[in-house]
Amino acid sequence: MLKILHTSDWQIGKLFGQFDSDDAALLADARFLAVEGLARLAREEAVDMVLVAGDVFDAQTVADKTLHRLFKAMEGYAGPWVMIPGNHDAALAESVWTRAQRLGAVPENVTICLRPEPLVLARPAVAILPAPMTQRNTYADLTEWFAGAGTPAGLPRIGMAHGSVQGILAEEIDSTNPIAAGRAAQARLDYLALGDWHGARQVDERTWYSGTPETDRFRANASGCALLVSLDAGGPPRVEVRPTGRYRWQSLAATLRVPGDVDAVIATLAGLAAQDVAQLDIDGQIDLDGHRRLLAAIEQARGTARGVLADLGGLRLAPTQDDIDALRADGYVGEVIAELRAAQEDPAAGEDNARIARDALALLAGMLDTRAGTGVAADGRGAAA
């Protein structure tokens, strides 16, 4: 029996620029920790080899120290690692791979397949047919040569590719880097290890996407895992999905209509843990007291979770009379609040003007809050005493 760990899309060097710098650094660091976890899993499961099906690096321009750190992270498994370049780290004439080789960073047990030619290994006894990407986008099927490739009789035939199986993924996803459906059967492959789709997904009996080992986006696609693949002579592969990720990425959406809706969102935010990365999309309407409490809850969640992104662009502020009385916004200021409230609800004003009015109302309310000593500014951050 041949036992393989199939992984892909490590995206080492990903920057996570949408988050605060501290959170972004930890999310980037988690990708190295995921590789260390893969090496540990490979050793504990006594696999015969590890296949990495492209996008090891997120860009060609990662720092030299990143190259060294990545290959150091793989040291926990001393067996063979076989890698192919993907679209983010394509095998250009001068690439991240040639630089890694020039730096002497690549260990002897790591094989990087930079050309589309059979790789025959003695231990384990297997023939690998790699389809490395040599540019970011291609419109030809780089696996087409698999069918005509001769390999020693009796050896398992394993394909490796990075791209989109035609007719499986959404049309906008599989427009470039195509892979023909049914390639495993047509090329007499025992297993076809794919990368590019960031979630674990079975294509057919012998073809799988492994997904990224550490989730990196807000999409419910079974990411944060690797595949343990067992091959017996001639039979279909047995594939086990093994969790490998540290962080849980989740999208939270709500439409606010009544005060209880605000309480429900605040309770959800309070339930976030250190392993959570959350994206919050809120629309509807909210009074100033609810808005103040919501902003405070978002800031508190940011102190607990690894990252919280909040989009309140669709939220309309609807101050109550109690809100206005609490702000002591009488006279001219009260008139301004009334005008801004009307402007954000006026359909004739247009979406941009309504957004400007809402932001101005939030800013004014925050300034009045601060003056009154409530301690929460319009952006939800603690005000100075």
Side-chain angles (χ1 to χ4, degrees):
M1 182 178 72
L2 181 66
K3 201 171 183 181
I4 298 167
L5 185 63
H6 169 199
T7 178
S8 68
D9 298 280
W10 295 355
Q11 311 296 148
I12 297 297
K14 192 175 179 70
L15 296 177
F16 299 101
Q18 71 270 46
F19 296 96
D20 291 343
S21 58
D22 290 347
D23 289 335
L26 289 170
L27 290 172
D29 190 67
R31 311 204 73 76
F32 291 100
L33 299 178
V35 175
E36 292 178 0
L38 290 169
R40 186 165 53 250
L41 177 61
R43 184 180 68 249
E44 292 171 352
E45 292 291 341
V47 303
D48 296 297
M49 62 192 311
V50 180
L51 304 181
V52 191
D55 279 2
V56 173
F57 300 100
D58 193 58
Q60 300 280 4
T61 54
V62 297
D64 289 354
K65 67 177 182 180
T66 298
L67 298 177
H68 286 293
R69 184 180 177 191
L70 180 276
F71 290 108
K72 288 285 186 182
M74 297 162 57
E75 288 182 344
Y77 174 66
W81 299 73
V82 180
M83 298 177 158
I84 62 168
N87 58 313
H88 281 257
D89 53 9
L92 310 174
E94 176 60 30
S95 70
V96 64
W97 301 107
T98 57
R99 183 153 51 93
Q101 291 171 332
R102 193 164 53 246
L103 289 169
V106 183
E108 291 184 359
N109 63 323
V110 176
T111 300
I112 303 166
C113 300
L114 300 179
R115 291 180 296 276
E117 57 189 25
L119 171 68
V120 178
L121 300 180
R123 298 183 62 185
V126 63
I128 296 173
L129 306 179
M133 295 198 64
T134 56
Q135 58 191 58
R136 187 174 181 94
N137 293 315
T138 64
Y139 295 91
D141 186 346
L142 300 181
T143 69
E144 191 170 358
W145 69 276
F146 287 1
T151 57
L155 292 189
R157 286 166 61 93
I158 308 295
M160 295 180 67
H162 190 90
S164 301
V165 176
Q166 298 300 281
I168 299 296
L169 305 180
E171 184 176 349
E172 65 272 15
I173 296 175
D174 65 10
S175 58
T176 59
N177 311 327
I179 299 170
R183 178 64 73 201
Q186 188 260 351
R188 308 176 311 283
L189 300 179
D190 293 278
Y191 185 72
L192 177 53
L194 297 180
D196 194 30
W197 183 247
H198 280 214
R201 181 165 183 168
Q202 182 177 14
V203 176
D204 59 38
E205 185 179 50
R206 298 179 183 273
T207 306
W208 280 75
Y209 285 98
S210 67
T212 179
E214 182 65 50
T215 303
D216 60 357
R217 60 189 67 179
F218 297 104
R219 184 178 294 166
N221 63 350
S223 58
C225 57
L227 303 180
L228 193 62
V229 182
S230 300
L231 288 170
D232 287 321
R238 296 195 305 277
V239 179
E240 300 176 49
V241 179
R242 294 296 184 90
T244 56
R246 174 179 297 257
Y247 293 114
R248 300 173 299 196
W249 291 54
Q250 53 186 306
S251 293
L252 310 173
T255 297
L256 306 183
R257 296 186 179 90
V258 297
D261 295 336
V262 181
D263 295 335
V265 172
I266 290 174
T268 298
L269 288 168
L272 294 178
Q275 288 74 36
D276 287 316
V277 182
Q279 177 176 265
L280 185 66
D281 293 298
I282 302 294
D283 59 16
Q285 71 175 35
I286 190 171
D287 61 26
L288 293 184
D289 179 66
H291 188 249
R292 183 185 306 116
R293 293 191 299 118
L294 176 61
L295 293 178
I298 290 171
E299 288 306 302
Q300 290 170 9
R302 285 173 173 156
T304 302
R306 178 46 49 226
V308 177
L309 302 178
D311 182 359
L312 308 182
L315 192 59
R316 298 189 311 277
L317 295 182
T320 65
Q321 189 58 50
D322 288 343
D323 288 330
I324 295 172
D325 291 345
L327 293 172
R328 298 193 295 276
D330 52 3
Y332 174 71
V333 175
E335 294 175 5
V336 170
I337 289 176
E339 291 177 5
L340 290 173
R341 179 180 178 181
Q344 73 165 348
E345 297 175 355
D346 182 4
E351 185 176 338
D352 289 343
N353 288 333
R355 184 180 299 109
I356 291 171
R358 184 203 65 237
D359 292 344
L361 182 57
L363 180 61
L364 178 58
M367 293 171 63
L368 293 172
D369 267 347
T370 302
R371 187 182 69 180
T374 60
V376 178
D379 64 355
R381 300 184 185 280

